[in-house]
């Protein structure tokens, strides 16, 4: 599994998330990630729309 941030192949399993998906951790940049997350981060456009309301 390659890291989603730096692309490094040095990632290891890091236990399950609270929803049961497998969590990974990159040994190079130390980021934790899930390969296919169920919830996506909020886009900057949506954040700006929320701030205007």
């Amino acid at each position: 599994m390659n890291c989603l941030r730096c692309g490094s192949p040095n990632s290891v399993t890091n236990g399950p998330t609270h929803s049961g998906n497998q969590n990974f951790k990159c040994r190079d940049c130390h980021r934790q990630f899930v390969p296919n997350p169920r919830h996506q981060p909020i886009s900057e456009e949506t954040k700006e729309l929320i701030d205007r309301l």
Side-chain angles (χ1 to χ4, degrees):
M1 176 63 53
N2 290 342
C3 177
L4 302 176
R5 177 187 284 171
C6 69
S8 171
N10 296 328
S11 59
V12 294
T13 58
N14 196 29
T17 62
H18 66 276
S19 62
N21 293 334
Q22 181 63 54
N23 199 19
F24 291 87
K25 183 174 183 180
C26 178
R27 288 185 173 175
D28 293 331
C29 70
H30 307 290
R31 178 177 173 123
Q32 293 187 41
F33 61 94
V34 177
N36 297 316
R38 195 177 338 174
H39 302 287
Q40 298 296 323
I42 298 172
S43 69
E44 291 298 321
E45 294 172 353
T46 304
K47 288 180 184 179
E48 290 175 8
L49 176 63
I50 291 170
D51 289 339
R52 284 188 279 160
L53 296 176

